[in-house]
């Protein structure tokens, strides 16, 4: 569902984020670059600790500073660099132009504020509406996301909602100002499978109706296959592969992507085949790699992999990979 002109709504270049701890500096994000097009749903996948969430939270300055620090990079949105914005400037972007659905609805909602107050707050802050107007908008949003008896539930507190309903409320808050970009950080992780399916269907419906661009962060490749236009695969704070979703699943090039897809159960003729696993452990991020970060776990490793970290390289017009096996120089 990409816009016809395919214009970029967000461009991220060479983003680097560090966390300074008592044990040393964690190199969480290491020169990440990507773009998000109008109307596109971009999936970002990878195992826990690969830098997915830190990447998008850095864009909106949601990481704690200190210990966090954005040491390099820019993120161009409407001609302005989000990274260079002051705290006051980025506050006007968050929630208004870029919405954010946090990972855990159990802890992301304020337990001492009603649901209505939490939905109305960004409407009044960013759109300048009166209390009555914001309340009407909040009721409309609750109805849009499928909360029954919306007007009566507006004055309830988060503990009076189920996990799935709390996640719907988080979506309502993120959509309250009809942002151009919606970032969903593993929005279905804490939910059971049935509720996951409902939330995914809801996001698909809202995307069709509102035409917004979406960044969907997850470790679940099954979800990405059904919703994304394009996929970014991250490992050790780097992007190791980037391609349209059908191309990535049909023709994965990076050994890490191949390992992730090989670990998925498939309903095919080869049901007797064992699932593959990726041996070894994730990289130690206390030092920035000078070799390929996946080399210690890679079944195809050779000498150059241990000497030099490959850049993300185009192997076709819309497929990029950071692997010496694929880079032809």
């Amino acid at each position: 569902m990409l816009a016809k002109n395919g214009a970029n709504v967000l461009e991220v270049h060479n983003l680097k984020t560090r966390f300074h701890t008592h044990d040393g500096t964690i190199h969480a994000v290491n020169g990440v670059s990507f773009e998000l097009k109008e109307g596109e749903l971009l999936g970002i996948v990878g195992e826990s600790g690969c830098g997915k969430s830190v990447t998008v939270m850095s864009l909106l300055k949601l990481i704690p500073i200190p210990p966090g620090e954005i040491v390099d990079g820019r993120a161009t949105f409407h001609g302005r660099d989000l990274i260079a914005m002051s705290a006051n400037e980025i506050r006007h972007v968050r929630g208004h132009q870029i919405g954010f659905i946090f990972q855990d609805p159990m802890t992301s909602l304020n337990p001492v504020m009603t649901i209505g107050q939490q939905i109305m707050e960004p409407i009044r802050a960013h759109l300048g509406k009166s209390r009555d107007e914001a309340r009407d908008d909040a009721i409309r949003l609750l109805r849009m996301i499928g909360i029954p008896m919306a007007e009566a539930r507006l004055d309830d507190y988060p503990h009076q909602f189920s996990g799935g309903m709390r996640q719907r409320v988080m979506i309502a808050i993120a959509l309250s100002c009809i942002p151009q970009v919606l970032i969903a950080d593993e929005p279905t992780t804490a939910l059971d499978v049935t509720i996951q399916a409902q939330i995914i269907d809801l996001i698909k419906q809202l995307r069709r109706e509102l035409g917004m661009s979406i960044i969907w962060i997850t470790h679940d490749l099954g979800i990405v296959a059904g919703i994304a236009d394009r996929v970014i695969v991250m490992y050790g704070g780097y992007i190791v592969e980037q391609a349209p979703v059908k191309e990535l699943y049909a023709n994965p090039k990076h050994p890490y992507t191949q390992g992730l897809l090989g670990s998925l159960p498939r309903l095919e003729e080869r049901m007797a085949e064992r699932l593959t696993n990726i041996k070894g452990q994730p990289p130690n991020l206390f030092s920035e790699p000078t070799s390929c970060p996946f080399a210690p776990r890679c079944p195809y490793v050779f000498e150059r992999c241990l000497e030099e970290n490959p850049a993300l390289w185009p192997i076709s017009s819309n497929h990029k990979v950071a692997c010496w096996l694929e880079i032809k120089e």
Side-chain angles (χ1 to χ4, degrees), residues 219-223 225 249 258-277:
H219 61 271
D220 191 329
L221 286 158
I223 289 176
Y249 280 69
Q258 293 169 2
L260 289 178
L261 292 173
S263 67
L264 284 178
R266 298 171 183 269
L267 295 175
E268 298 176 348
E269 312 82 46
R270 301 172 296 167
M271 293 183 70
E273 286 190 9
R274 293 179 62 87
L275 298 179
T276 61
N277 68 311

Side-chain angles (χ1 to χ4, degrees), residues 91-126:
R91 196 176 297 118
H92 287 290
V93 173
R94 288 197 300 251
H96 185 196
Q97 295 171 295
I98 302 178
F100 203 109
I101 304 172
F102 291 93
Q103 188 171 134
D104 188 358
M106 311 299 179
T107 58
S108 298
L109 293 170
N110 190 326
V112 299
M113 290 178 65
T114 67
I115 293 299
Q117 289 173 320
Q118 296 185 63
I119 299 175
M120 291 161 60
E121 187 175 43
I123 296 172
R124 298 192 70 187
H126 294 301

Side-chain angles (χ1 to χ4, degrees), residues 162-313:
S162 68
M165 292 176 73
R166 273 187 283 225
Q167 190 60 282
R168 287 174 181 263
V169 171
M170 288 294 300
I171 294 170
I173 294 171
L175 296 176
S176 58
C177 298
I178 316 297
Q180 188 176 0
V181 174
L182 178 66
I183 298 174
D185 186 5
E186 304 211 36
T188 61
T189 297
L191 307 175
D192 64 53
V193 176
T194 303
I195 304 301
Q196 279 187 19
Q198 293 175 6
I199 296 298
I200 291 167
D201 287 343
L202 174 61
I203 293 290
K204 285 180 177 179
Q205 174 191 337
L206 294 171
R207 182 188 175 204
R208 287 193 300 268
E209 293 176 357
L210 303 176
M212 61 180 59
S213 304
I214 299 174
I215 298 176
W216 188 291
I217 301 158
T218 184
H219 61 271
D220 191 329
L221 286 158
I223 289 176
V224 167
I227 63 172
D229 298 306
R230 193 161 51 92
V231 183
I232 285 171
V233 181
M234 290 192 67
Y235 184 81
Y238 293 90
I239 294 176
V240 296
E241 190 159 7
Q242 178 178 313
V245 63
K246 290 183 179 178
E247 168 71 11
L248 187 87
Y249 280 69
N251 190 27
K253 290 297 186 181
H254 197 281
Y256 178 62
T257 310
Q258 293 169 2
L260 289 178
L261 292 173
S263 67
L264 284 178
R266 298 171 183 269
L267 295 175
E268 298 176 348
E269 312 82 46
R270 301 172 296 167
M271 293 183 70
E273 286 190 9
R274 293 179 62 87
L275 298 179
T276 61
N277 68 311
I278 302 173
K279 297 179 180 179
Q281 298 296 322
N284 182 342
L285 297 179
F286 281 108
S287 59
E288 191 169 1
T290 54
S291 60
C292 173
F294 190 63
R297 305 174 73 183
C298 182
Y300 310 110
V301 64
F302 59 99
E303 187 175 351
R304 191 173 187 182
C305 307
L306 303 173
E307 296 174 346
E308 190 178 354
N309 191 359
L312 194 64
W313 194 265

Side-chain angles (χ1 to χ4, degrees), residues 4-51:
K4 289 182 180 179
N5 59 9
N8 292 338
V9 65
L10 175 67
E11 296 179 357
V12 178
H13 178 71
N14 199 37
L15 179 67
K16 295 183 179 180
T17 302
R18 306 285 183 258
F19 288 94
H20 305 290
T21 72
H22 293 299
D23 296 323
T25 297
I26 299 172
H27 297 71
V29 178
N30 300 306
V32 164
S33 301
F34 65 90
E35 68 284 336
L36 176 69
K37 300 183 183 299
E38 290 181 353
E40 178 183 38
L41 198 153
L42 175 67
I44 302 181
V45 302
E47 61 197 53
S48 297
C50 71

Side-chain angles (χ1 to χ4, degrees), residues 71-91:
V71 298
D72 198 3
R74 63 178 185 270
T76 306
F77 178 70
H78 287 310
R80 300 183 65 197
D81 183 4
L82 298 173
I83 306 299
M85 287 183 179
S86 67
N88 190 50
E89 288 173 324
I90 198 71
R91 196 176 297 118

